[in-house]
Amino acid sequence: MASFLSRRKLLQGLGASAAALPFTGNLASLGAGESSGQRKRRLVVMFSPNGVVPWNFWPDEAGELSAFKESLQPLEPFRDQTLIGKGICNKVRGAGSAHMVGIGGLLTGCELMPGNLKGGSGPSAGWASGISIDQEIAHFLQSQPETRTRFGSLEFGVMVPERADVWTRMSYLAANRPATPINDPYQMLRKFYGQVEDRKLVGSLLDDVLDDLRAVRSRVDSQDRRILDDHATFVREMEKELRQAESDGAIGSERPELEPGVRADDIPRLSRMQIDLMVHGFAADFNRIATLQFSRATSGEKLKWIGVDESHHTLSHESDDNTEVQEQLTQINHWYCQQLAYLAKRLSETPEPGGEGSLLDNTLIVWTNELGKGNSHTRNDIPFVMVGGGLDFKMGRSLKFDKVHHNRLLLSLAHGFGHHIDEFGDPNFCGDGPLTGLS
Amino acid sequence: MVLLCLFAGLPVSSKADDPQQVTGDLDRGQRLFAQQCARCHGDEGQGDQDFYPEPLQGDHRVSQLFEIIERTMPEEDPEACIGQDARDVTAFVHDRFYSEAARQRRAAARIELARLTVPQYRNALTDLLQSFQKSAEPEVEQGSGGLHATYFKTRSLSGKDKVFERTDPVVDFDFAAGVPDPAEDFDDPEEFSIRWEGGLFVEQTGRYELRLYSENGVRMWVNGPDQAVIDGWVRSGDQTEHVESIFLLGGRTYPIRIDFHKRNDPTAAISLRWEPPGGVVEPIPSQHLRRGKFPRLFVATTTFPPDDRSVGYERGTRVTKDWAEATTLGAIETANEVLRDLESLAGIAKDDSDDERRQKVISLCHEFVARAFRQSLDDDQRDRYVTRHFDDEDALEKAVKRVVILALKSPRFLYPELGLEGDVVTATRLSFAICDGPPDAALLEAAGKGELSTPKQVSEQARRLLDDPRGRAKLRAFFRYWLQIDVPHDLSKDSEQYPEFTPQLTVDLRRSLERFVEATVWSEASDFRQLLVSNTIWVNQRLADFYGVDAPDGDLFQPVVFEQEPRAGVLTHPFLMAAFAHRADSSPIHRGVFLVRGILGRTLRSPPDAIELVDSSLLPNMTTRQRVEQQTKPDTCQNCHRTINPLGFALEHYDAVGRYRLGEAAGTVDASGEYQPTRGDPIEFSDASELSVALSEHEEVSRNFVERMFEFLIKQPIGAYRAGLLDELTDEFVASDYHIRDLAVRIVSSAIASNER
């Protein structure tokens, strides 16, 4: 392994090592970008379903953010790092119901394909016809050595049904190619560390393998010993390489411990575990882009842990006059906002490795939804609540736009990463380019 | 068009390590070596204690060796041996003692300790895991191929909406805007669903590209209920083809299920296609679809470096670092599979206590290691490989993982005969020789009861295993090797001359050859001579149309007797005729070399010079035979071509796509000639038919066939066994009326009997 040392050097600071090489082969030059003065930038898109209760959500005034309405109260500690944009509309039309287009067009900015799925009225539909912005930016970052990471992007899910259809998919690798969010934190942890663990385990067994070879060696004649000796040499080489990696301290370092045996219906705990893993992945620079999807469009989840025993979707159809239900809907969004706040908190507590400030200072979280409001199914005033300093936006403000296309916000996100594309999704919705007034 | 040296692209494997680029005069090289080199290196390159004690052996290519010698030798005066001198010395050194081939030649043949070959390794893991499954035995429904289909009148695929059931030979339907069967009771052409279930049988190991085409919603599971390999339940845009590739082990049948539903779509269509290794995209033929229930099989997908094939057949007498690393990855992959299925493998019940769980898992591990090593473990081994890993209060799963990895990294698993004693050695040798896999339960039981001690008992077991799917798969693989079917041939032809010779047709041809061999081998007589003289060719409709015989229906292959023209079994089979031919012309040289090396088992040196061969377009007035005769006229060519050419010319009645012809543009075909065997009288013949009759009972051909089969099955040189074994086996082969399956049984029995190491 002639290049072992140099590769090892490159891997330092990643929490990985030669033993992790099978999956870090593409890390050509970590650190180069940072040393050239560019800070790391990250994006998290968080999704929750079925619209919001507008009067309990949107600030009354544009301008400096002086106070939050009830749904957004959990964000109070991060008020000066929050940016709220009202008046941003998902104008994508075509095949599919409001919910379907709401989620399928949310990050893609384009229509659904015609297909065999029908929801409500309107022509039946298939998958989105283009890539989503998170994946677009991830491709861009992966295309350059200085921003390339092990995974590029990670898709986290919480209570996303194990079913691939338009309602359950937000992120698209390309037209017709939805990305599957990982619901199970244990699976995510295996994705992070499974191979390293395996290698470590193999390393601890190699002495036994050598003993074994020695024992059988005595039973064959001298000419046949050659093949066993060759074999033993390779085992010893492997042992040496693994020991080298271990002495670098990379194996087994910093691996997060997950509480074992958490049940698949313990949503609050799973949500925290997923967020903890997301923060860990950012700290280890496994990825710069992540999505965190709660349930699905048209979610019928009952959020019993906050005392809501009725299906979210059913509740969201109730009229504005039903104050009891509107309060429940407000509480539902309040709980989702708590998850956002927990993510912001964990990011803010984690220092930027090798950089300045906290992870939150270099991350933009965008919390969004497939609808503006549940009972009208409007896709005007789609909630876009942004937290963190990832993209040089000017935070601590509430903005009011005049019915702008959400494609322009998607463009702003790309431009925030230095990816200066002129159009994204449906070009008809990209006039005037990125949104003005964000930074 | 000018063709560069034929041999550059000659698709035949050479037994020698052919010198490339550097050729020299061996005799002159020997003289120069004696003068300039022998003082330090010894007369035979064996080395000299005072000067250079190491023997002159290595694995540099001849061109590299030449470069070293020219640049550095002799040490005291490197200028003394350069240019042609260095070339001659290199040729001599390489040919006489340096190369692997030379060392093999010089060393007396011996039975070498061998690890599992890659196919054996994969089979061993699949069988090992399979042996723990409760529903290990497939339930095969008799009858011809196809899948069981159930049709429903809603999209629900639920029993209450069932309309009818039937067997569909292939899944390839276009229902347009209608229902699957208007005579049946469907409510509404707007909505219905179908489920196909059964087995997918594959012959060859490799990556299969599965393609499910549909205008509607479809899902497909292959080899396991866990996750659909294809999930196209959402039909979207014009995405009508779903492609997924999957690695499958040959000779096995995997469970397959396809769910289909139509809803909100104007029309309905579905087609189950694949691209098998080396094949073309086609609907999966009914021969590969089976009705019945089949268990999921574990298939290790870890990539392995190819086995050493330097002596012609694959064998496991060498280890490399990448092989050692692959065995680690394979062990990890298997350990994960065991963990995935731990509850069921260990027979854990829901209400088992932690301690019961632990005990069940430990006994599973004991059994796992014992089966992996093909022996029962003594107390020391039980502790060493299993029990002590459970000492820590570590998670159970981690201990299981340690046990599995340690067992599968152990030489006792990787070298199938190491550490074994008694009848289990016989069982192991027998099974790996016949099936390329470990002994099954019945064989181990026989060994345990002492019922593998007489030659008769061994033969009976060998016969039983030969008929096992694994045994059939290995025999099939042997014929692919012997007839060079698995060499990547380029069968594409000149599209103006042969516009109907499509890639699909070349795949059909390969199947035709394989079906013919299969049918012959498994017929009662199992007569080797039929392989060489039969005038039957297996054809489907496409082949029948192309070769001008009466067509059977559809894709099914049927044997058809070619009454109108002479045919000689595999020797004139259109697959091999097309494989050993140029794009527009036949190639007597390729065909002749195939006969000389492949069928007669003679060795040929590589051609001394690169020769430019001219094709028919430049010499339009000469027949192919005349052209080849002219171009191979020089004495240096004739050393080999006096043997090669007449045999190749014998096949001149078959053009570049294997069609029979009486003549070409430049004249009638002359297929007559003479072959001089190494022993005995010359064979005279007027065409391929006559030649094939003579060859079918010729001792040279039988002997070669016996030796090739021996090497392929046993994976050791026959010379390493009892003296005279090849003669005996050949005599017995002849005496049995050339019975192919009997030969396989005899080879394995005799190798076991004479291998008392």
Side-chain angles (χ1 to χ4, degrees):
Chain A
M1 246 186 133
S3 62
F4 182 71
L5 281 175
S6 52
R7 281 161 93 187
R8 179 162 56 81
K9 253 186 180 157
L10 286 172
L11 288 160
Q12 280 171 354
L14 183 79
S17 74
L21 279 175
F23 51 65
T24 51
N26 59 358
L27 291 175
S29 59
L30 280 176
E34 279 71 51
S35 63
S36 71
Q38 277 281 354
R39 67 178 177 127
K40 286 185 196 136
R41 295 174 194 278
R42 303 185 187 82
L43 174 70
V44 181
V45 179
M46 173 178 143
F47 171 90
S48 68
N50 293 331
V52 300
V53 178
W55 54 90
N56 288 333
F57 189 90
W58 299 108
D60 291 331
E61 302 293 331
E64 193 182 337
L65 250 184
S66 50
F68 285 116
K69 291 293 178 72
E70 194 176 349
S71 295
L72 297 185
Q73 279 298 339
L75 279 181
E76 191 54 41
F78 305 99
R79 186 147 48 86
D80 59 352
Q81 283 163 281
T82 300
L83 179 65
I84 301 175
K86 197 184 178 200
I88 303 173
C89 310
N90 177 351
K91 292 291 190 191
V92 174
R93 294 294 177 260
S97 69
H99 286 285
M100 291 162 76
V101 179
I103 189 166
L106 183 58
L107 301 186
T108 64
C110 61
E111 291 187 9
L112 303 180
M113 299 274 196
N116 63 351
L117 291 176
K118 222 172 163 84
S121 56
S124 55
W127 302 118
S129 57
I131 190 173
S132 59
I133 195 65
D134 54 316
Q135 297 303 318
E136 173 73 26
I137 295 170
H139 283 180
F140 171 72
L141 297 180
Q142 293 298 83
S143 71
Q144 303 174 44
E146 58 273 18
T147 52
R148 195 173 298 149
T149 52
R150 182 176 155 202
F151 295 119
S153 77
L154 289 170
E155 291 73 45
F156 292 82
V158 177
M159 54 183 169
V160 179
E162 293 291 327
R163 184 173 71 229
D165 61 30
V166 174
W167 295 271
T168 61
R169 296 294 181 263
M170 164 174 80
S171 182
Y172 283 82
L173 303 165
N176 271 337
R177 286 186 58 208
T180 308
I182 294 179
N183 257 341
D184 175 1
Y186 302 104
Q187 184 186 342
M188 190 61 87
L189 189 66
R190 280 198 297 278
K191 186 176 167 119
F192 285 4
Y193 291 106
Q195 291 184 36
V196 176
E197 288 286 298
D198 285 343
R199 294 242 142 193
K200 201 173 156 192
L201 193 144
V202 167
S204 72
L205 289 170
L206 292 180
D207 274 347
D208 292 325
V209 174
L210 286 171
D211 282 351
D212 223 354
L213 278 162
R214 221 168 285 132
V216 293
R217 188 181 189 274
S218 62
R219 304 174 65 141
V220 304
D221 69 31
S222 60
Q223 281 173 295
D224 282 335
R225 282 182 190 157
R226 212 192 59 195
I227 187 172
L228 294 178
D229 291 343
D230 285 351
H231 192 156
T233 306
F234 301 136
V235 176
R236 252 178 247 117
E237 281 176 24
M238 183 171 187
E239 195 175 30
K240 211 187 294 170
E241 285 164 16
L242 285 168
R243 194 173 298 147
Q244 176 72 53
E246 205 150 357
S247 71
D248 294 341
I251 288 187
S253 68
E254 298 300 318
R255 194 199 123 131
E257 286 299 323
L258 285 186
E259 192 179 343
V262 174
R263 287 156 46 115
D265 58 359
D266 191 348
I267 303 304
R269 200 172 298 181
L270 288 175
S271 173
R272 271 202 306 280
M273 287 162 79
Q274 291 286 63
I275 288 169
D276 288 343
L277 283 176
M278 182 188 288
V279 173
H280 176 84
F282 282 147
D285 206 18
F286 287 160
N287 59 311
R288 304 271 172 96
I289 307 293
T291 55
L292 175 58
Q293 180 182 332
F294 285 93
S295 192
R296 62 174 180 116
T298 334
S299 166
E301 289 292 337
K302 299 168 181 171
L303 278 65
K304 293 180 177 167
W305 55 92
I306 56 167
V308 178
D309 293 335
E310 187 63 69
S311 143
H312 186 186
H313 181 237
T314 307
L315 293 173
S316 75
H317 274 238
E318 288 293 323
S319 76
D320 291 355
D321 304 340
N322 190 337
T323 49
E324 192 188 334
V325 166
Q326 295 306 329
E327 182 48 35
Q328 284 184 311
L329 290 170
T330 302
Q331 285 311 313
I332 289 172
N333 275 302
H334 183 271
W335 184 78
Y336 285 125
C337 189
Q338 282 178 334
Q339 312 313 302
L340 170 62
Y342 179 69
L343 172 59
K345 174 168 172 283
R346 292 284 287 107
L347 288 171
S348 70
E349 291 164 354
T350 311
E352 176 68 58
E356 303 208 345
S358 71
L359 289 181
L360 186 63
D361 294 329
N362 298 307
T363 304
L364 182 74
I365 313 169
V366 181
W367 176 29
T368 183
N369 199 302
E370 90 267 28
L371 296 179
K373 186 158 173 276
N375 55 11
S376 69
H377 286 86
T378 179
R379 277 168 281 140
N380 292 337
D381 292 342
I382 297 285
F384 285 104
V385 175
M386 296 175 259
V387 183
L391 293 193
D392 301 335
F393 293 169
K394 196 169 159 217
M395 311 306 280
R397 295 183 301 153
S398 168
L399 300 176
K400 282 218 167 75
F401 295 95
D402 183 20
K403 288 194 171 23
V404 295
H405 294 301
H406 86 297
N407 297 54
R408 295 182 59 196
L409 175 64
L410 302 182
L411 280 174
S412 300
L413 298 178
H415 285 230
F417 278 89
H419 184 33
H420 295 284
I421 44 179
D422 295 331
E423 291 172 350
F424 187 76
D426 189 333
N428 294 319
F429 301 149
C430 300
D432 302 330
L435 285 182
T436 46
L438 290 175
S439 36
Chain B
M1 185 174 70
V2 174
L3 299 173
L4 277 174
C5 172
L6 258 188
F7 285 84
L10 191 65
V12 290
S13 69
S14 157
K15 294 193 73 171
D17 183 10
D18 293 334
Q20 291 172 356
Q21 298 165 30
V22 178
T23 51
D25 183 327
L26 292 179
D27 295 335
R28 196 163 167 270
Q30 182 165 21
R31 285 198 301 279
L32 289 168
F33 185 86
Q35 291 161 14
Q36 301 194 9
C37 324
R39 192 163 59 93
C40 299
H41 290 295
D43 295 338
E44 293 287 320
Q46 75 275 22
D48 183 287
Q49 279 310 323
D50 295 333
F51 295 99
Y52 189 81
E54 297 288 318
L56 276 184
Q57 296 173 351
D59 53 12
H60 278 308
R61 299 165 70 92
V62 69
S63 54
Q64 296 166 315
L65 186 65
F66 165 68
E67 204 246 308
I68 293 167
I69 291 175
E70 181 172 57
R71 200 162 34 85
T72 65
M73 290 287 138
E75 254 182 3
E76 65 275 15
D77 181 13
E79 291 299 307
C81 182
I82 57 171
Q84 193 57 45
D85 287 357
R87 229 170 238 118
D88 292 343
V89 168
T90 305
F92 168 74
V93 168
H94 194 272
D95 182 79
R96 203 57 66 85
F97 38 73
Y98 181 84
S99 67
E100 170 76 21
R103 275 177 283 154
Q104 296 252 340
R105 255 195 332 269
R106 293 162 70 88
R110 55 180 286 273
I111 302 169
E112 291 181 65
L113 177 64
R115 59 164 172 81
L116 298 168
T117 62
V118 177
Q120 290 172 349
Y121 178 88
R122 293 193 197 285
N123 275 326
L125 289 183
T126 300
D127 291 340
L128 179 58
L129 276 266
Q130 192 60 10
S131 73
F132 288 96
Q133 289 295 350
K134 290 190 183 52
S135 56
E137 286 303 310
E139 298 167 30
V140 190
E141 287 174 35
Q142 292 308 312
S144 53
L147 295 177
H148 180 84
T150 316
Y151 289 75
F152 306 87
K153 59 185 162 190
T154 66
R155 67 193 156 99
S156 69
L157 295 154
S158 79
K160 67 177 170 51
D161 293 331
K162 183 169 86 182
V163 182
F164 68 95
E165 298 172 68
R166 68 181 181 199
T167 298
D168 285 326
V170 293
V171 180
D172 191 18
F173 297 101
D174 184 354
F175 303 122
V179 297
D181 185 346
E184 298 279 355
D185 183 25
F186 286 94
D187 293 346
D188 182 1
E190 295 297 307
E191 184 177 329
F192 56 86
S193 57
I194 313 169
R195 171 169 293 166
W196 288 275
E197 288 170 291
L200 176 67
F201 169 71
V202 308
E203 292 185 342
Q204 260 188 288
T205 299
R207 211 150 252 297
Y208 286 75
E209 202 159 81
L210 301 171
R211 292 165 172 264
L212 191 57
Y213 167 91
S214 177
E215 296 171 0
N216 314 90
V218 284
R219 263 191 204 119
M220 177 161 80
W221 293 259
V222 176
N223 197 25
D226 288 2
Q227 207 177 357
V229 289
I230 285 174
D231 186 348
W233 208 241
V234 177
R235 199 271 298 167
S236 180
D238 51 7
Q239 186 186 37
T240 47
E241 187 153 53
H242 308 273
V243 184
E244 199 57 54
S245 116
I246 180 170
F247 184 87
L248 297 172
L249 196 54
R252 313 257 177 176
T253 306
Y254 302 87
I256 181 171
R257 183 179 123 199
I258 301 162
D259 284 356
F260 164 95
H261 84 292
K262 180 192 181 189
R263 187 202 177 202
N264 301 323
D265 286 322
T267 55
I270 182 168
S271 177
L272 172 61
R273 304 173 187 171
W274 72 357
E275 186 177 339
V280 296
V281 178
E282 58 180 356
I284 298 185
S286 63
Q287 299 96 306
H288 292 273
L289 300 174
R290 303 269 161 92
R291 289 181 310 154
K293 278 202 164 60
F294 300 88
R296 175 180 187 277
L297 298 174
F298 169 63
V299 177
T301 59
T302 299
T303 307
F304 273 77
D307 291 316
D308 174 28
R309 206 178 162 164
S310 59
V311 290
Y313 54 94
E314 287 163 356
R315 55 184 188 148
T317 48
R318 197 179 289 175
V319 296
T320 56
K321 187 168 180 181
D322 48 355
W323 174 81
E325 283 174 358
T327 62
T328 302
L329 296 177
I332 292 171
E333 190 186 359
T334 312
N336 287 334
E337 171 76 8
V338 171
L339 286 182
R340 203 186 71 94
D341 223 7
L342 188 60
E343 309 263 317
S344 127
L345 291 173
I348 291 170
K350 264 212 163 73
D351 47 6
D352 281 348
S353 69
D354 281 358
D355 193 50
E356 283 168 326
R357 267 177 72 92
R358 195 177 183 82
Q359 285 316 313
K360 282 183 179 177
V361 168
I362 291 174
S363 60
L364 168 73
C365 286
H366 279 131
E367 191 57 28
F368 183 92
V369 178
R371 288 189 201 174
F373 294 173
R374 296 166 291 279
Q375 60 183 337
S376 48
L377 307 181
D378 60 32
D379 285 347
D380 177 55
Q381 289 172 325
R382 286 168 71 88
D383 180 60
R384 170 179 183 73
Y385 292 107
V386 182
T387 322
R388 74 189 166 89
H389 299 285
F390 288 86
D391 285 350
D392 297 339
E393 288 301 314
D394 256 0
L396 211 53
E397 303 202 332
K398 199 163 177 188
V400 173
K401 211 162 186 177
R402 291 177 64 88
V403 169
V404 172
I405 293 174
L406 185 58
L408 300 185
K409 285 290 289 175
S410 167
R412 293 171 204 272
F413 169 72
L414 292 170
Y415 299 75
E417 291 184 18
L418 262 189
L420 296 186
E421 278 161 11
D423 279 357
V424 73
V425 184
T426 306
T428 299
R429 278 181 196 152
L430 177 61
S431 185
F432 277 101
I434 295 267
C435 304
D436 263 353
D440 62 8
L443 191 57
L444 287 174
E445 196 189 320
K449 287 187 191 159
E451 288 169 3
L452 263 187
S453 36
T454 70
K456 184 157 174 288
Q457 288 167 330
V458 170
S459 299
E460 270 166 18
Q461 289 286 353
R463 215 172 292 280
R464 175 180 72 83
L465 287 172
L466 194 61
D467 199 13
D468 178 275
R470 295 180 306 164
R472 283 180 175 245
K474 184 163 181 184
L475 204 52
R476 208 177 288 130
F478 162 69
F479 281 98
R480 279 203 297 269
Y481 153 74
W482 175 57
L483 293 173
Q484 300 176 22
I485 300 174
D486 58 356
V487 172
H489 295 289
D490 178 9
L491 268 72
S492 61
K493 298 297 169 194
D494 185 285
S495 59
E496 274 179 30
Q497 205 164 340
Y498 304 108
E500 291 144 1
F501 197 76
T502 58
Q504 176 69 59
L505 209 70
T506 68
V507 171
D508 290 342
L509 278 181
R510 179 177 163 156
R511 289 220 172 96
S512 160
L513 177 55
E514 289 172 342
R515 298 262 173 280
F516 167 65
V517 170
E518 186 99 352
T520 309
V521 170
W522 290 96
S523 68
E524 175 134 3
S526 197
D527 190 342
F528 172 77
R529 293 166 298 189
Q530 280 302 310
L531 287 181
L532 302 191
V533 302
S534 169
N535 65 341
T536 294
I537 297 180
W538 285 63
V539 294
N540 59 4
Q541 186 152 22
R542 280 187 295 263
L543 291 177
D545 290 347
F546 188 83
Y547 291 98
V549 290
D550 285 340
D553 281 343
D555 275 340
L556 289 180
F557 280 85
Q558 305 274 343
V560 168
V561 177
F562 276 52
E563 284 164 343
Q564 307 300 321
E565 60 194 52
R567 285 282 169 179
V570 299
L571 300 186
T572 64
H573 191 280
F575 176 82
L576 292 178
M577 291 300 90
F580 300 120
H582 301 295
R583 288 173 58 79
D585 298 325
S586 70
S587 174
I589 298 181
H590 283 93
R591 293 172 179 182
V593 168
F594 167 68
L595 287 172
V596 172
R597 280 185 176 151
I599 304 294
L600 296 158
R602 299 183 58 171
T603 50
L604 289 173
R605 283 189 167 277
S606 296
D609 299 305
I611 303 162
E612 282 188 0
L613 278 177
V614 182
D615 75 2
S616 55
S617 59
L618 292 179
L619 294 170
N621 297 322
M622 296 175 92
T623 63
T624 306
R625 177 171 185 151
Q626 289 163 340
R627 264 188 292 120
V628 171
E629 276 173 341
Q630 192 195 34
Q631 288 169 15
T632 56
K633 210 171 222 148
D635 287 344
T636 48
C637 301
Q638 278 300 306
N639 285 337
C640 294
H641 280 273
R642 79 165 62 93
T643 310
I644 296 169
N645 292 359
L647 291 168
F649 295 149
L651 300 168
E652 268 300 276
H653 279 123
Y654 307 90
D655 67 11
V657 291
R659 275 178 176 145
Y660 186 73
R661 63 180 177 184
L662 289 169
E664 0 170 23
T668 52
V669 165
D670 173 8
S672 66
E674 185 186 284
Y675 167 64
Q676 177 60 61
T678 44
R679 283 187 283 182
D681 296 332
I683 299 170
E684 281 180 42
F685 51 88
S686 64
D687 65 4
S689 227
E690 277 187 32
L691 173 65
S692 74
V693 170
L695 292 185
S696 70
E697 297 201 342
H698 198 278
E699 191 236 352
E700 214 169 63
V701 174
S702 324
R703 238 179 113 81
N704 173 54
F705 184 73
V706 172
E707 185 172 2
R708 292 288 90 76
M709 192 192 269
F710 187 100
E711 291 170 342
F712 190 86
L713 296 180
I714 309 296
K715 308 210 171 295
Q716 299 280 356
I718 194 168
Y721 291 74
R722 176 157 54 81
L725 183 58
L726 179 55
D727 291 333
E728 275 171 45
L729 283 168
T730 308
D731 289 346
E732 286 171 10
F733 182 48
V734 174
S736 73
D737 283 336
Y738 301 87
H739 199 286
I740 297 166
R741 299 200 309 272
D742 279 358
L743 173 63
V745 170
R746 283 204 176 88
I747 282 175
V748 174
S749 316
S750 63
I752 286 170
S754 61
N755 177 7
E756 298 303 335
R757 301 212 286 149

